[in-house]
Amino acid sequence: MNTWTLSPQDKSQIKDLRSFLPARAFDIHAHLYNTRDFPKGKHNQYGGPALVTPAVWRRQVGAQLNPARLAGALLIPIPTHPAAAEKGNAFVLESLRREPTCRGLILITPRMPRAQVMDYLRHPSLVGFKPYHLLSGRPNSYEAPLASYLPEWAWEIA
């Protein structure tokens, strides 16, 4: 299933949206991923391509806003599973090296060493980190206590 294809209704609504959007826009929530990095047994539940790079983001969002309006984005790894956080972070960091108009967040898990997070945050284009309940490792992550996916020391860094 590819839900990233613009339907005729989408295109009609896009025309209406473009009439009142600013000349330049910064996307504050753009996920990048490579399904190759998903844990075994996890499928691409996002309905998009197997690989979402900044170029794919530009093409998709540009089709909606107009490519000339894209001022950049806040690039974030997909929080699929604690085991995939490192690969997602590495993918976003590599993407940021080629995208001077973009900034990024890393995923943080309680199992990450504080020193590793501090090393990540030294990257000039990283502006913070994202804790997420899916990274708690609990079967029902919606009921996960905050401490199960956000380490206490992260509050000090923030």
Side-chain angles (χ1 to χ4, degrees):
M1 173 177 76
N2 183 353
T3 58
W4 288 31
T5 302
L6 295 176
S7 70
Q9 182 180 3
D10 293 330
K11 292 175 183 175
S12 172
Q13 291 175 340
I14 286 168
K15 281 183 183 177
D16 293 340
L17 285 173
R18 284 183 179 176
S19 69
F20 67 85
L21 289 173
R24 300 285 286 158
F26 188 89
D27 184 346
I28 63 165
H29 198 119
H31 285 288
L32 301 184
Y33 63 85
N34 186 340
T35 57
R36 172 192 77 210
D37 297 334
F38 289 6
K40 294 216 184 301
K42 290 281 184 182
H43 66 284
N44 184 1
Q45 61 191 5
Y46 306 102
L51 177 65
V52 177
T53 63
V56 171
W57 164 80
R58 283 187 189 285
R59 184 176 65 244
Q60 291 298 127
V61 177
Q64 297 171 52
L65 297 181
N66 179 335
R69 284 189 161 147
L70 295 178
L74 181 63
L75 305 176
I76 310 165
I78 286 280
T80 57
H81 188 275
E86 292 298 322
K87 289 181 180 178
N89 288 341
F91 187 65
V92 165
L93 281 174
E94 183 57 35
S95 297
L96 287 170
R97 285 179 175 74
R98 297 182 304 273
E99 292 293 328
T101 64
C102 293
R103 298 294 175 261
L105 298 178
I106 58 162
L107 297 175
I108 186 172
T109 74
R111 290 158 292 290
M112 288 178 138
R114 178 184 178 139
Q116 180 183 19
V117 172
M118 295 302 293
D119 283 345
Y120 277 136
L121 294 175
R122 286 185 183 90
H123 188 288
S125 294
L126 277 179
V127 294
F129 53 81
K130 180 175 181 64
Y132 203 72
H133 68 92
L134 289 174
L135 303 177
S136 69
R138 297 187 178 223
N140 182 4
S141 65
Y142 289 104
E143 299 294 328
L146 186 60
S148 71
Y149 58 93
L150 181 62
E152 187 65 32
W153 51 259
W155 293 99
E156 296 168 12
I157 294 172

